[in-house]
Amino acid sequence: MTLHQNYIKRCIELAQNGLGTTYPNPLVGSVIVYNDTIIGEGWHQKSGESHAEVIAINSVKNKAHLKESTIYVSLEPCSHFGKTPPCADLIIEHQIPKVVIGTVDPFGKVCGNGIARLKNAGIEVEVGFLEKECQELNKRFFTFHQKKRPYIILKWAQTQNGFIAPTHKDHNRPVWISNEFSRQLVHKWRAEEQAILVGTNTVLEDNPKLDIREWTGYNPTRIVLDRELKTPEDYSVYDTSSKTIFITEKHKESNQENIFFETINFQNNPNIQILDVLYKHQIQSVIIEGGASVLQSFIKDNLWDEARVFASDLILENGIKAPEFDFNKYSKNQIVNDSLSLFYNSH
């Protein structure tokens, strides 16, 4: 691995600290190198706050060294005024002579413009180091801007004999297929993604909170597919602690803060319309957690990017069949008595 790659690798490591807290902004890390020594580093922590390059520059004790340094950044520096000033301008202002960039930013207001602004100021710019890794780091951001939809993660737990839930159970009380450690991991995942999506039956059967009570961070936006608006208004998804979007075929005006109703035609490619709604709400990633028919429909339409499937040692005599999913595993891990299989869609 070259020196440039090593420093971009460090940028990626720093950027990962912001997973779940930077939306709608991308994950970005930056390091500043003077005489082969890192003298400053930083990562973007929250939308509206300083970008990675700003934090890295501010962390340098002797600013005179900047005029003889190289700044490394995992994603092209921004060139437009958003909630903060352009990072390209700050680099120019401090007369940093060289910028090394992992990958170009796909966002229309930046895409190539940050690089052009730096070059026009006489700064040496090199682009394309650990490019695939930098794009993987921001797979949510890239998917949103390039495919005009969120990054889609399917998640479910199934028994040893292939059931996702029992046929009959106590109303409003979920039956846990996976163990407590797997459930805590799921709450960590929820904190990392922008939204969580479930169907009507899951809500009616379990009355789920769809929050991150077993982790720390931000609760995801709740997406409820409720074609006929059957969900009682005293259910957990109607509390206003988190943004909740009901996707329905009935027109309804919201009279509560954080509660939204979006109307689609469930007879005509509903999943495409659902993703359009999520794109409209600037949602870059979504975990689809159920039920089985919702998961199966996204699998059938090939509208998924990752699948995370728990298999426990529990056996049910009968129940609701897990989704049919005939894809090659990327990896498999053991979580006590649960196994977790990960899949990636090559589409």
Side-chain angles (χ1 to χ4, degrees), residues 201-220:
N201 290 339
T202 297
V203 174
L204 295 179
E205 289 292 323
D206 298 342
N207 189 17
K209 291 183 172 67
L210 304 178
D211 60 11
I212 58 163
R213 59 194 175 277
E214 295 185 28
W215 202 254
T216 58
Y218 298 105
N219 284 323

Side-chain angles (χ1 to χ4, degrees), residues 97-151:
K98 185 171 182 178
V99 181
V100 177
I101 299 167
T103 189
V104 174
D105 190 327
F107 180 42
K109 289 185 178 180
V110 180
C111 191
N113 294 325
I115 293 168
R117 184 173 294 196
L118 293 168
K119 286 183 174 179
N120 288 339
I123 293 172
E124 181 184 352
V125 180
E126 292 190 45
V127 186
F129 294 89
L130 299 186
E131 193 165 13
K132 287 183 179 179
E133 291 85 345
C134 290
Q135 291 173 0
E136 172 68 17
L137 168 71
N138 277 305
K139 56 193 175 186
R140 301 157 181 84
F141 186 76
F142 273 74
T143 297
F144 181 80
H145 287 289
Q146 293 175 337
K147 297 186 178 181
K148 310 302 180 188
R149 66 163 175 81
Y151 188 85

Side-chain angles (χ1 to χ4, degrees), residues 102-304:
T103 189
V104 174
D105 190 327
F107 180 42
K109 289 185 178 180
V110 180
C111 191
N113 294 325
I115 293 168
R117 184 173 294 196
L118 293 168
K119 286 183 174 179
N120 288 339
I123 293 172
E124 181 184 352
V125 180
E126 292 190 45
V127 186
F129 294 89
L130 299 186
E131 193 165 13
K132 287 183 179 179
E133 291 85 345
C134 290
Q135 291 173 0
E136 172 68 17
L137 168 71
N138 277 305
K139 56 193 175 186
R140 301 157 181 84
F141 186 76
F142 273 74
T143 297
F144 181 80
H145 287 289
Q146 293 175 337
K147 297 186 178 181
K148 310 302 180 188
R149 66 163 175 81
Y151 188 85
I152 302 167
I153 300 168
L154 309 180
K155 186 243 97 182
W156 72 87
Q158 63 186 53
T159 64
Q160 186 176 323
N161 55 340
F163 293 115
I164 200 170
T167 307
H168 303 289
K169 68 179 184 64
D170 291 338
H171 190 55
N172 282 352
R173 297 190 59 177
V175 173
W176 299 113
I177 303 294
S178 56
N179 63 44
E180 60 182 308
F181 305 104
S182 297
R183 294 198 294 274
Q184 186 181 50
L185 178 59
V186 169
H187 283 237
K188 177 179 181 290
W189 290 344
R190 289 179 181 178
E192 293 171 349
E193 309 307 331
Q194 212 170 348
I196 177 173
L197 183 151
V198 295
T200 313
N201 290 339
T202 297
V203 174
L204 295 179
E205 289 292 323
D206 298 342
N207 189 17
K209 291 183 172 67
L210 304 178
D211 60 11
I212 58 163
R213 59 194 175 277
E214 295 185 28
W215 202 254
T216 58
Y218 298 105
N219 284 323
T221 296
R222 299 177 294 205
I223 314 296
V224 180
L225 306 185
D226 192 350
R227 182 173 181 173
E228 298 176 10
L229 286 181
K230 292 180 178 179
T231 306
E233 292 192 11
D234 61 350
Y235 269 40
S236 296
V237 290
Y238 267 104
D239 71 44
T240 56
S241 61
S242 302
K243 179 178 178 179
T244 304
I245 304 169
F246 289 88
I247 298 181
T248 176
E249 65 181 8
K250 295 182 177 293
H251 180 76
K252 183 173 180 178
E253 295 292 337
S254 176
N255 58 5
Q256 291 178 283
E257 185 183 2
N258 261 358
I259 303 294
F260 299 84
F261 297 95
E262 295 282 359
T263 305
I264 68 167
N265 178 2
F266 279 82
Q267 299 293 331
N268 183 26
N269 294 323
N271 290 340
I272 296 294
Q273 296 177 71
I274 290 164
L275 296 180
D276 286 344
V277 168
L278 270 57
Y279 183 78
K280 168 188 166 183
H281 282 264
Q282 300 289 298
I283 291 171
Q284 292 184 10
S285 68
V286 60
I287 302 178
I288 300 177
E289 290 204 10
S293 62
V294 173
L295 287 160
Q296 194 69 65
S297 73
F298 277 86
I299 295 167
K300 177 178 176 291
D301 290 344
N302 199 31
L303 288 172
W304 63 279

